Amino acid sequence: MAYIQLEPLNEGFLSRISDLLLCRWTCHHCCQKCYESSCCQSSEDEVEILGPFPAQTPPWLLASRSSDKDGDSVHTASDVPLTPRTNSPDRRCSSSDTSKSTYSLTRRISSLESRRPSSPLIDIKPIEFGVLSAKKEPIQPSVLRRTYTPDDYFRKFEPRLYSLDSNSDDVDFLTDAEILSKYQLGMLHFSTQYDLLHNRLTVRVIEARDLPPPISHDGARQDMAHSNPYVKICLLPDQKNSKQTGVKRKTQKPVFEERYTFEIPFLEAQRRTLLLTVLDFDKFSRHCVIGKVAVPLCEVDLVKGGHWWKALIPSSQNEVELGELLLSLNYLPSAGRLNVDVIRAKQLLQTDVSQGSDPFVKIQLVHGLKLVKTKKTSFLRGTIDPFYNESFSFKVPQEELENASLVFTVFGHNMKSSNDFIGRIVIGQYSSGPSESNHWRRMLSAHRTAVEQWHSLRSRAECDRVSPASLEVT
């Protein structure tokens, strides 16, 4: 094993140690070469000098400075005579001047970099993003074609969709006397009482007064002097499970005295709003909405109960609901039979002033635009919520099923004259709406399985407008 004989500890030794600490080596024998200052020669492996430089420049850099001044020739560190350093004042002054050798050092490093065979130079240029073209154009952000303002954003909203009616803002700040003087729609007397023992809410409709004269929308009304009022009661937001009083004939001061109960928990009742709508019955025209009263139940003492006179306000609901019909459809491909179950109906439009309605359902099979078969249920007397539970079967081959339509029409039975039309829907090829089309598709995809669904009844004019099958039946 070879040993390296170290020099005595002197200033030359300290200078070389500083060179060793300031040098980052890459050669295998760097420890010895850096000590001998031979790794910085141009003929050996490359070395990279990292600053900061010492205040007292090593002697080999001084020799390099003098050689650059003479002829820009590069000498090795072994040719530079090592001059012993002294602590004289002149030497201290000259040490500050040697710090200017940084420029010469830079030129020496540039010369070393140009002679490196193993480290290729990488020219890093700025990266420009954009389409390459002969003419370079500055890239600018695209400008929006239209500038949106807050007014444009809020203009998309329709306030009428988020309020019960268009006059709610005015009504909130008016008393009952001011509402009656402004709208002149009359007043309604009613009461509420909650039974904690049986968990049910009782609503009593007592009477109304000062109702306005009737309004005819289509000119078919005969008596324009008197109204035939009745009241519908529901707990918002559920409008399906509503109640309805009887019709009081030819009076502007009807006395109802009817009670209705709602099976509902107490906490749920406090979150509901009691809505009472006064309507005007007309056998020969569509029913008209006179006015309404809305009472949030959280604002009243339900357990203690109470009764109120409230002024009627205009309602945004001009169209009166005709009722709902629950149907079940089933098709048997092997037998080629289309089975229809008429289960029940609820909240049908009242067609008789004295005893409500005597409703029945007529089912008609239409193939293409041709009436094939007609069947009907029995009629139930004096009710607007009939239960039928009657089944009917039609022979429809599978290849003709896609061209079939079923027309369901609800009538009010009348012994003295023609039956009173209540509502209609069409299910099948020429369905009268999205709900009816969805029911038909579900039945086609579920062979041999009965599919039930509720349907809202539509007017005759609406069905005739959207369904050709409705035009082929009476």
Side-chain angles (χ1 to χ4, degrees):
M1 180 181 297
Y3 293 92
I4 300 174
Q5 184 177 1
L6 300 178
E7 295 181 4
L9 186 62
N10 52 25
E11 291 183 0
F13 175 78
L14 294 177
S15 176
R16 296 182 183 183
I17 290 296
S18 64
D19 294 343
L20 176 64
L21 295 177
L22 293 173
C23 178
R24 188 175 66 186
W25 53 87
T26 56
C27 54
H28 297 287
H29 306 286
C30 193
C31 293
Q32 180 177 358
K33 292 188 177 184
C34 285
Y35 177 75
E36 297 174 354
S37 301
S38 59
C39 64
C40 297
Q41 299 181 25
S42 59
S43 59
E44 298 291 337
D45 294 330
E46 61 191 26
V47 66
E48 187 175 301
I49 305 299
L50 300 178
F53 299 103
Q56 203 169 29
T57 309
W60 63 274
L61 291 179
L62 296 177
S64 174
R65 177 187 174 188
S66 60
S67 62
D68 289 338
K69 287 184 178 181
D70 295 338
D72 287 339
S73 59
V74 181
H75 298 277
T76 61
S78 60
D79 298 334
V80 179
L82 299 177
T83 309
R85 302 179 185 179
T86 60
N87 296 329
S88 62
D90 296 336
R91 184 60 180 177
R92 294 193 193 98
C93 296
S94 62
S95 64
S96 62
D97 296 336
T98 59
S99 62
K100 299 180 181 180
S101 61
T102 305
Y103 174 75
S104 175
L105 175 63
T106 304
R107 297 185 60 185
R108 180 178 178 84
I109 292 175
S110 300
S111 176
L112 289 173
E113 292 289 337
S114 62
R115 300 185 183 184
R116 289 181 182 179
S118 59
S119 300
L121 298 179
I122 301 176
D123 186 13
I124 302 177
K125 297 181 179 180
I127 301 175
E128 298 181 359
F129 297 92
V131 181
L132 297 177
S133 59
K135 183 178 179 181
K136 296 183 179 180
E137 297 181 357
I139 300 176
Q140 299 294 337
S142 58
V143 182
L144 295 176
R145 296 182 179 179
R146 179 181 178 183
T147 303
Y148 291 91
T149 62
D151 295 337
D152 296 332
Y153 179 77
F154 289 105
R155 199 172 290 127
K156 299 178 181 179
F157 290 96
E158 298 183 23
R160 62 181 180 83
L161 300 178
Y162 302 92
S163 61
L164 293 176
D165 57 85
S166 58
N167 303 300
S168 59
D169 295 339
D170 299 336
V171 172
D172 292 340
F173 302 99
L174 297 178
T175 63
D176 288 331
E178 292 173 338
I179 294 174
L180 181 62
S181 175
K182 180 177 181 179
Y183 299 111
Q184 297 181 356
L185 296 177
M187 301 190 73
L188 182 65
H189 190 197
F190 64 96
S191 67
T192 60
Q193 178 75 45
Y194 190 84
D195 187 357
L196 289 174
L197 183 61
H198 300 91
N199 288 331
R200 62 188 180 188
L201 175 68
T202 302
V203 179
R204 177 188 172 199
V205 181
I206 304 174
E207 60 179 324
R209 71 184 182 191
D210 301 329
L211 297 179
I215 300 175
S216 179
H217 295 278
D218 51 11
R221 190 182 184 98
Q222 297 178 351
D223 186 3
M224 297 298 297
H226 303 90
S227 299
N228 301 315
Y230 65 97
V231 182
K232 291 188 69 173
I233 309 102
C234 67
L235 298 178
L236 296 178
D238 182 15
Q239 299 189 40
K240 301 298 183 182
N241 299 320
S242 59
K243 311 292 183 179
Q244 180 175 312
T245 68
V247 178
K248 303 303 176 181
R249 301 183 60 184
K250 297 182 179 182
T251 178
Q252 310 305 118
K253 299 179 180 180
V255 178
F256 299 101
E257 284 294 345
E258 299 184 26
R259 298 173 182 266
Y260 301 94
T261 59
F262 296 88
E263 302 290 338
I264 184 173
F266 179 74
L267 295 179
E268 179 66 22
Q270 289 185 317
R271 290 193 287 265
R272 299 294 187 92
T273 298
L274 176 63
L275 178 65
L276 299 103
T277 307
V278 182
L279 302 100
D280 184 16
F281 172 86
D282 185 16
K283 183 176 181 179
F284 303 100
S285 177
R286 65 188 177 99
H287 296 193
C288 176
V289 179
I290 298 176
K292 70 174 185 179
V293 172
V295 180
L297 296 181
C298 61
E299 299 178 0
V300 300
D301 190 346
L302 294 178
V303 178
K304 183 179 180 181
H307 61 90
W308 303 270
W309 276 98
K310 290 290 185 179
L312 297 174
I313 62 174
S315 175
S316 59
Q317 182 183 359
N318 296 323
E319 294 291 336
V320 179
E321 295 182 356
L322 304 178
E324 293 185 278
L325 187 63
L326 178 60
L327 302 173
S328 175
L329 302 180
N330 179 26
Y331 183 72
L332 301 176
S334 57
R337 306 296 296 184
L338 179 60
N339 300 323
V340 179
D341 296 336
V342 180
I343 303 174
R344 60 168 296 193
K346 66 179 181 180
Q347 294 301 308
L348 296 178
L349 184 67
Q350 190 165 338
T351 60
D352 194 294
V353 175
S354 58
Q355 57 180 3
S357 299
D358 300 333
F360 68 94
V361 183
K362 181 186 288 188
I363 308 102
Q364 296 168 292
L365 175 64
V366 179
H367 183 265
L369 296 177
K370 181 181 178 181
L371 179 61
V372 178
K373 195 73 173 178
T374 300
K375 298 183 179 183
K376 63 180 181 180
T377 67
S378 58
F379 66 89
L380 303 179
R381 294 184 178 275
T383 179
I384 59 174
D385 300 303
F387 285 82
Y388 297 105
N389 289 324
E390 298 186 25
S391 300
F392 306 90
S393 181
F394 298 91
K395 185 172 180 59
V396 181
Q398 189 170 5
E399 60 272 9
E400 298 179 1
L401 184 62
E402 60 181 8
N403 297 324
S405 299
L406 290 172
V407 182
F408 298 87
T409 308
V410 182
F411 290 96
H413 181 71
N414 195 325
M415 296 289 294
K416 299 179 182 180
S417 61
S418 60
N419 296 324
D420 302 318
F421 177 87
I422 296 179
R424 172 179 292 175
I425 60 169
V426 183
I427 302 177
Q429 180 187 11
Y430 300 110
S431 296
S432 55
S435 175
E436 293 84 341
S437 299
N438 181 46
H439 195 182
W440 185 257
R441 287 195 299 267
R442 290 171 56 200
M443 186 269 297
L444 294 178
S445 60
H447 293 317
R448 301 180 181 86
T449 303
V451 180
E452 295 184 3
Q453 184 171 323
W454 280 99
H455 296 278
S456 297
L457 296 176
R458 306 174 186 269
S459 64
R460 188 197 303 268
E462 183 180 359
C463 290
D464 292 347
R465 186 172 60 254
V466 299
S467 176
S470 178
L471 298 172
E472 303 299 322
V473 301
T474 57

